[in-house]
Amino acid sequence: MTLVQMQPRPKSNAHATVTEVMEAAGPRVCDDMSVEVALSVMAAARTGRLVVCDQDGQCTGLVTRAELAAVRDGSAYTDRVRLRDLLGDHRLFTSPVTTLAEAEDAMRIRQLGALPVVDGQGCALGVFALSG
């Protein structure tokens, strides 16, 4: 008979911040990029999302492969559609000092799977994604 030692689940730290669990920001692209080029960048980088920045390097949002594919496959799509045209509600960010609970609650309310984590100057530090 083999004994299995059970470890108690770690209690969630109410003061833990998104910085402690965020992922690397991954590829950053300019908001004037077309949908087709963005999809190509995603394929080459083997990622499902891109951090979108403006001409000054300020994070303006996040787009996912699924969102871009839906736009491309839509009847209103033209090759003139740029990422900045798609951001809408995705112009949401979180601060590195936001607690995990606060970020998770905000994302669930807005039905988002991930948020860029930005510093005080608006530069992307990483991405915080829901884990389940």
Side-chain angles (χ1 to χ4, degrees):
M1 181 164 117
T2 304
L3 291 175
V4 177
Q5 228 176 355
M6 300 295 288
Q7 297 285 336
R9 290 178 64 179
K11 293 182 181 178
S12 108
N13 181 351
H15 301 291
T17 64
V18 296
T19 303
E20 298 170 42
V21 296
M22 72 180 180
E23 302 167 12
R28 293 177 177 103
V29 297
C30 193
D31 64 359
D32 66 351
M33 183 177 281
S34 72
V35 170
E36 287 296 330
V37 173
L39 284 166
S40 295
V41 169
M42 280 185 189
R46 296 185 177 162
T47 187
R49 62 180 169 244
L50 296 172
V51 173
V52 182
C53 298
D54 64 15
Q55 298 294 336
D56 298 322
Q58 303 296 300
C59 181
T60 58
L62 186 82
V63 292
T64 66
R65 178 178 291 140
E67 291 166 335
L68 295 181
V71 168
R72 182 195 55 203
D73 297 340
S75 61
Y77 175 74
T78 71
D79 62 357
R80 299 174 86 179
V81 176
R82 301 290 178 238
L83 297 180
R84 73 170 63 95
D85 303 327
L86 308 177
L87 291 176
D89 284 345
H90 287 45
R91 292 182 185 263
L92 300 171
F93 317 100
T94 192
S95 161
V97 297
T98 303
T99 67
L100 295 176
E102 291 170 330
E104 289 172 352
D105 288 346
M107 291 169 64
R108 284 192 178 97
I109 289 167
R110 292 176 180 90
Q111 298 179 347
L112 299 173
L115 279 176
V117 179
V118 298
D119 65 14
Q121 289 75 42
C123 295
L125 301 173
V127 175
F128 175 68
L130 290 178
S131 58

